[in-house]
Amino acid sequence: MEIGFLVLLVLAVVALVLSRRRRGKFDGAEVVGKTPRATARRVRPFDPSKAAPQPATEIIEGPAYVVDGDTLIIRKTQIRLFGIDAPEIDHPYGKKAKWALVALCKGRSVRARVIERDTHGRTVAHCWLEDGSDLSAEMVKLGLAIDWPKFSGGRYRALETHDARKKMWLADARQKGRLHVWERFEERKATGAQKR
């Protein structure tokens, strides 16, 4: 009888630990390996499909300075728009994407709900205009950004214009892990600049 009670107690503790882990009661980091002096930790990337709706921990609001088609600065904080990928300034459609985002934000207050910090040190945030327009969705609808399903869970894919991925072939290649396409583009750009 005591053995049965101990087995039930152990099972209850295991069930409690697993349920807390699923609900996110732990710190979001997992142990990768142990060294004699310290424990190495790796933070799991944000997965919106697994995220439970939570109250925003940080809101940044104010006028925005646009850096490029998916990056802006609000109150000295560089913010990457959530879930989309726009071309870099020196890539095809890059300047057009930047100026479209400038037109959307000009003279308006932008509200950013911080989601995470990315590997480049930027703050990733869901951004809205005063009228409730989602900036990521607006850029995709304009055909100047594409959905990045790895981060958005496919939230903006249905809003893409029919030719968006063809126009933004470098961003599409990056999403698919074909970085050699980027390298060749940069190489050609560099040799073209040297010939001038």
Side-chain angles (χ1 to χ4, degrees), residues 42-59:
R42 180 179 74 219
V43 177
R44 291 184 208 132
F46 175 73
D47 183 358
S49 64
K50 295 180 183 175
Q54 299 175 348
T57 55
E58 184 180 0
I59 300 285

Side-chain angles (χ1 to χ4, degrees), residues 104-122:
L104 285 169
C105 297
K106 188 173 185 175
R108 301 171 87 180
S109 180
V110 176
R111 183 179 179 101
R113 181 175 49 89
V114 176
I115 296 172
E116 69 172 334
R117 309 271 185 235
D118 73 5
T119 55
H120 303 289
R122 294 174 298 192

Side-chain angles (χ1 to χ4, degrees), residues 139-160:
M139 289 300 292
V140 172
K141 285 191 250 180
L142 289 171
L144 295 168
I146 55 177
D147 177 53
W148 198 327
K150 176 181 175 182
F151 301 107
S152 73
R155 170 186 241 158
Y156 303 110
R157 183 65 188 233
L159 302 175
E160 286 183 11

Side-chain angles (χ1 to χ4, degrees), residues 11 18 29 34-35 44 46 75 89 100 134 139 142 152 154 161-162 165-167 175 186:
L11 288 175
L18 289 176
K34 292 184 179 181
T35 62
R44 291 184 208 132
F46 175 73
R75 298 189 183 272
I89 286 288
D134 178 348
M139 289 300 292
L142 289 171
S152 73
T161 59
H162 72 283
R165 289 196 177 262
K166 187 175 181 180
K167 286 190 325 191
Q175 287 184 15
E186 295 297 328

Side-chain angles (χ1 to χ4, degrees), residues 118-135:
D118 73 5
T119 55
H120 303 289
R122 294 174 298 192
T123 300
V124 178
H126 216 139
C127 298
W128 293 273
L129 297 173
E130 299 157 326
D131 65 3
S133 302
D134 178 348
L135 280 178

